[in-house]
Amino acid sequence: AANQPLTMVFCRRNSAEIPPKEKIKEHLWNIHFAEYGRGVSMYRTVKTHELILQGIPDSLRGELWLLFSGAINELQTHPGYYQSLVEQSLGKYTIATDEIERDLHRSLPEHPAFQSDIGIAALRRVLTAYAFRNPNIGYCQAMNIVTSVLLLYASEEEAFWLLVALCERLLPDYYNTKVVGALVDQGVFEDLTREYLPQLYDKLDELGVISMISLSWFLTLFLSVMPFNSAVSIMDVFFFDGARVIFQLALTILDNNTNSLLDCRDDGEAMQALGEYL
């Protein structure tokens, strides 16, 4: 199981069970590969972006996330590295391993992969290996949710390198004890809201809501607040376009809820309005 994505283990479907929409997406990507190449030599075109916005098919998600995030390069240049970290960390006890253990069953509890020892053990190994690779970060809440989704579409070793790309390049300083990067981006988001949605900004500032929403949205890449399929499609775009996607989406959500948010009397009502929308 370690060598294949957990969706292959827990949601294995024969070709007759694959939804027609999924088959069409696969077909369109195969045409794209034939025309623009596949793997690290693939040209990135306007067409690539259009296909990503339609949602990457499950069968190609891991491969394309590795490619777009750049994680494929580290995976290929560090053979055996992940396995050696797993072996080094086996049976070792740290603050990080204690925190990881506490969060394992809170990751994607509704998915069959994480109701099973196979999925839980894979998640434990990847998070623990990362904590040993990067003691400065160790483990931070929200890493468990993101990593569990990576494991659905990528093998353990691939999920590990995607986590490296996420923590060290795509969202630097998000996942440390002080979540400095996320707090900086929270400030950026406040500035963007003030600039593009000034009337709403004043209201949200008065209710003290912006900091509450941005941290939970940003740290889990919307996985904790949106329907699963929608949030995974956001990850498709995120791995291709980077962190600006998070800001664009967050602003769009606020903009679409301007009227209901302006009517809110306290932070609880505002959070409820956004929760119902999402």
Side-chain angles (χ1 to χ4, degrees), residues 52 71 80 96 100 147 152 171 190 211 221 238 243 264 268:
I52 292 167
I100 288 166
T147 306
L152 292 178
L171 296 174
E190 286 191 28
S211 56
L221 295 172
F238 169 77
C264 290

Side-chain angles (χ1 to χ4, degrees), residues 164-230:
V164 170
L166 201 65
C167 294
E168 297 174 20
R169 282 203 315 281
L170 296 169
L171 296 174
D173 291 331
Y174 259 53
Y175 301 102
N176 56 29
T177 42
K178 297 191 175 72
V179 293
V180 178
L183 291 171
V184 168
D185 279 357
Q186 180 182 298
V188 173
F189 179 54
E190 286 191 28
D191 290 345
L192 289 168
T193 310
R194 190 188 291 123
E195 184 178 343
Y196 291 104
L197 306 167
Q199 188 189 4
L200 187 56
Y201 171 79
D202 292 340
K203 179 69 177 181
L204 295 178
D205 190 39
E206 177 196 322
L207 297 177
V209 171
I210 291 190
S211 56
M212 291 163 72
I213 53 177
S214 51
L215 267 188
S216 66
W217 290 0
F218 292 6
L219 281 169
T220 64
L221 295 172
F222 296 91
L223 287 162
S224 62
V225 291
M226 270 191 179
F228 179 77
N229 289 338
S230 306

